[in-house]
Amino acid sequence: MTAALALGGCSAGGGGGSSAASGKPTKGGDLTMAWSADIISMDKTMTFDNNSIRVMEQIMEPLFQASADGTKLKPWLATGYTISSDKKTYTIKLRKGVTFSNGDPMTAKDVKFSIDEDTKTGAAGWGFINSAISSVEATDDSTVTIKLKYAWAPLIADLSLFSNGVIPDGYGGKTAAEFYKAPVGTGPYVWDSWKKGQSLKLTANSKYWQKGKPYLASVKWNVVPDANTRKLQVQGGQIDIDDTPDWSSLSSLKSAAGVKATTFPSTQIDYIAFNQKRKPFDDVHIRQAISLAIDRKAMLKAVLFGNGKVANSLLSPGTPFYDKDAGGATLDVKAAKAELAQSSKPNGFTTTLLIASGNPNQASVAQIMQSELKEIGITMNIKQLDPTANKQARLASDFDMAISAWTMDIPDPDEWTSFAVDPTGGSKSAFTSYDNPDVIAINKKAQQETDPAKRQELYSELQKQTSKDAFLAYLYYSPYVYATTDKVQGFHVTPLGNYLLQDVSKTK
């Protein structure tokens, strides 16, 4: 069975930036972005935070890439593929003439090494994504053959994930640790420098396979934890892009001279994570009580200023197989008190919510929750850590409750569901230690089911069961928001949260 994908152009972002005079992208210029937290690592197989991922995606490219609307897949370093009749063998053709930024040609051996490298991490990293793969073969220099243990619906989507990004065979003669200090890939930008806690810089790849790209000479990310400072910097032109301004400043940014504030459709879900390794969060009645006490509509108004929707499922509406009838908790104070009365702490208890300092959105959520939980007999303290330390604490499951969020990286629910509900994965069920064998079994069935209607049935069942277990308290689905100066052209964020900076330019 053939399943070749039509290319239809290589840009997964918006159209290239253009100059006012010629309508053509402006070549050169240095772009500066500011975000709240630093990266963690460039090891694509072991790193889970979005900031690190956004940088990786500019350096190490996958075989397939999501479309600008995040719903389809198109060839990237591959040109197409075929599937055997038993759906267990994929033959993938590679794009010819692609080189790494060091000038070495990319071949099937590099692809095999890159996929095998990710697979070997197993439960410690992103290896769960490739768990169905039996073998990867470099059939010839431009052909890769992947054999599966069983039919696996998400395979092509999985091959579009950053963790399967292509790097040189054998790390180009280096150790993994040496390589990831300054990774090499086929992407539009090349590693330059990293001042931990301060800034990271990439420079243009002069050997990039997309002719004429990238347009920018360099891209720099500055770590600026305070949202108001980032807002003032983009208004003053000290930075070109404010990554995730707070919602309270959106209207003023939209009216600011020389600034474009834009919301992009997303697959993001914001939630409260309960650490089940810490009592009393191993008690479903406790988790349900807290979930039922939250007024999500009030949060939409106070935090998102009306931008977004109440979350009612583990999956977001922009994710395939979302079920609007998933049964996520809604505000019901009487039911919340009844759940607490049945719990191991019927008279209430004291706990702590972890939030990021300098983040007014999380501060507002925390203050609303603090008041709401007090009403049912729970005293909630608020612990603030700077965004980088906060991220590290969540990754280490060092919290009682924590505000967190997820956005899809591929147009298939498996990435998130496997990350969220399977404790054998590197995230230990989104760092909650949630472990329901029935849910794990449903998820595994959904991975292997290729019939869309049957997959929908399975994912609906999974969504309903996770709502009952309340291992997360779903808050809201929010769009992405960015503010740029009007000199920035072609900046586009897909619903999967990624942006490809080869399409971005900056007018003089």
Side-chain angles (χ1 to χ4, degrees):
M1 178 170 63
T2 300
L5 300 173
L7 181 58
C10 292
S11 172
S18 60
S19 64
S22 65
K24 295 181 179 179
T26 304
K27 193 74 173 177
D30 303 302
L31 185 82
T32 302
M33 299 178 67
W35 53 20
S36 63
D38 201 0
I39 69 165
I40 300 294
S41 167
M42 283 294 98
D43 185 341
K44 66 185 180 67
T45 69
M46 299 292 290
T47 307
F48 298 103
D49 73 288
N50 281 337
N51 288 7
S52 298
I53 292 165
R54 299 296 167 252
V55 176
M56 291 175 196
E57 289 173 331
Q58 318 308 322
I59 302 171
M60 299 169 279
E61 298 181 305
L63 295 176
F64 300 91
Q65 191 71 261
S67 58
D69 65 4
T71 63
K72 301 178 183 66
L73 291 162
K74 57 184 175 181
W76 203 252
L77 297 183
T79 57
Y81 66 97
T82 58
I83 312 175
S84 64
S85 58
D86 66 0
K87 301 181 181 179
K88 294 197 292 186
T89 300
Y90 285 66
T91 303
I92 300 170
K93 288 293 183 180
L94 303 182
R95 187 178 300 282
K96 295 182 179 179
V98 176
T99 65
F100 291 105
S101 58
N102 62 8
D104 293 341
M106 182 201 75
T107 71
K109 288 183 179 179
D110 302 305
V111 175
K112 170 180 168 53
F113 174 79
S114 303
I115 297 173
D116 284 347
E117 181 215 23
D118 189 29
T119 306
K120 288 174 183 175
T121 64
W126 285 99
F128 69 88
I129 284 290
N130 297 341
S131 61
I133 294 176
S134 175
S135 67
V136 182
E137 302 171 6
T139 310
D140 57 45
D141 282 352
S142 59
T143 308
V144 174
T145 302
I146 298 179
K147 295 184 177 180
L148 303 177
K149 302 170 188 174
Y150 31 73
W152 182 259
L155 180 67
I156 296 302
D158 293 339
L159 294 177
S160 73
L161 189 64
F162 59 88
S163 65
N164 281 318
V166 180
I167 61 174
D169 181 22
Y171 303 110
K174 297 181 179 180
T175 66
E178 290 171 338
F179 177 82
Y180 283 121
K181 287 180 181 178
V184 171
T186 65
Y189 291 94
V190 178
W191 183 267
D192 183 274
S193 60
W194 179 24
K195 298 178 181 178
K196 290 187 178 182
Q198 299 179 49
S199 64
L200 184 149
K201 183 179 180 182
L202 306 181
T203 54
N205 176 8
S206 61
K207 301 178 179 65
Y208 190 46
W209 58 274
Q210 290 193 43
K211 301 300 182 184
K213 296 181 182 181
Y215 304 121
L216 298 164
S218 72
V219 181
K220 185 179 181 184
W221 289 264
N222 289 339
V223 179
V224 183
D226 185 70
N228 190 56
T229 301
R230 295 196 304 274
K231 173 188 173 183
L232 294 174
Q233 287 180 345
V234 75
Q235 288 177 318
Q238 289 93 354
I239 61 173
D240 301 296
I241 301 177
D242 175 359
D243 182 309
T244 321
D246 65 276
W247 291 103
S248 64
S249 67
L250 182 58
S251 59
S252 62
L253 282 168
K254 282 185 174 181
S255 62
V259 174
K260 296 181 292 185
T262 307
T263 57
F264 298 92
S266 86
T267 53
Q268 181 165 319
I269 176 173
D270 288 72
Y271 58 84
I272 302 297
F274 300 116
N275 185 355
Q276 294 188 31
K277 285 293 185 183
R278 293 190 179 179
K279 290 183 178 298
F281 298 105
D282 57 341
D283 185 339
V284 66
H285 295 296
I286 294 289
R287 304 193 301 269
Q288 280 285 15
I290 293 172
S291 296
L292 288 162
I294 296 172
D295 187 344
R296 293 156 180 82
K297 290 182 179 179
M299 287 183 180
L300 284 182
K301 184 176 180 180
V303 180
L304 299 185
F305 289 74
N307 296 280
K309 297 179 179 179
V310 167
N312 65 337
S313 169
L314 180 65
L315 300 184
S316 65
T319 303
F321 308 112
Y322 162 76
D323 189 335
K324 63 181 178 60
D325 299 315
T330 57
L331 177 64
D332 189 332
V333 176
K334 183 178 179 180
K337 290 179 178 179
E339 287 287 343
L340 191 66
Q342 297 178 65
S343 77
S344 56
K345 298 287 185 180
N347 298 316
F349 62 99
T350 299
T351 188
T352 300
L353 176 69
L354 176 65
I355 70 170
S357 60
N359 187 318
N361 298 335
Q362 291 194 8
S364 294
V365 168
Q367 289 162 8
I368 292 170
M369 277 189 64
Q370 191 175 52
S371 174
E372 292 170 339
L373 295 191
K374 184 177 181 180
E375 188 176 346
I376 67 169
I378 298 174
T379 299
M380 189 192 86
N381 297 317
I382 301 171
K383 180 179 181 180
Q384 299 191 48
L385 292 176
D386 76 78
T388 301
N390 173 286
K391 186 184 301 181
Q392 291 169 334
R394 285 185 288 112
L395 296 179
S397 297
D398 184 15
F399 61 88
D400 294 343
M401 300 187 295
I403 297 178
S404 193
W406 172 271
T407 184
M408 297 299 299
D409 297 293
I410 61 175
D412 191 283
D414 178 59
E415 179 201 12
W416 170 225
T417 57
S418 292
F419 186 93
V421 308
D422 193 338
T424 64
S427 72
K428 298 182 179 65
S429 296
F431 313 107
T432 66
S433 296
Y434 170 58
D435 188 355
N436 182 331
D438 292 337
V439 171
I440 295 168
I442 295 167
N443 190 58
K444 291 187 182 300
K445 285 181 183 177
Q447 293 167 337
Q448 298 176 42
E449 179 56 66
T450 57
D451 182 279
K454 292 179 180 178
R455 285 193 94 197
Q456 180 65 71
E457 291 177 5
L458 290 165
Y459 280 119
S460 290
E461 188 179 353
L462 184 148
Q463 290 169 77
K464 289 170 183 174
Q465 185 58 56
T466 50
S467 291
K468 289 178 183 177
D469 291 343
F471 80 106
L472 306 176
Y474 314 134
L475 298 180
Y476 44 75
Y477 305 120
S478 59
Y480 307 123
V481 58
Y482 284 81
T484 75
T485 68
D486 56 12
K487 292 183 178 181
V488 177
Q489 305 295 322
F491 181 72
H492 174 79
V493 183
T494 77
L496 304 177
N498 59 332
Y499 44 78
L500 301 185
L501 296 179
Q502 67 262 29
D503 296 316
V504 177
S505 66
K506 181 179 173 181
T507 58
K508 305 297 184 184

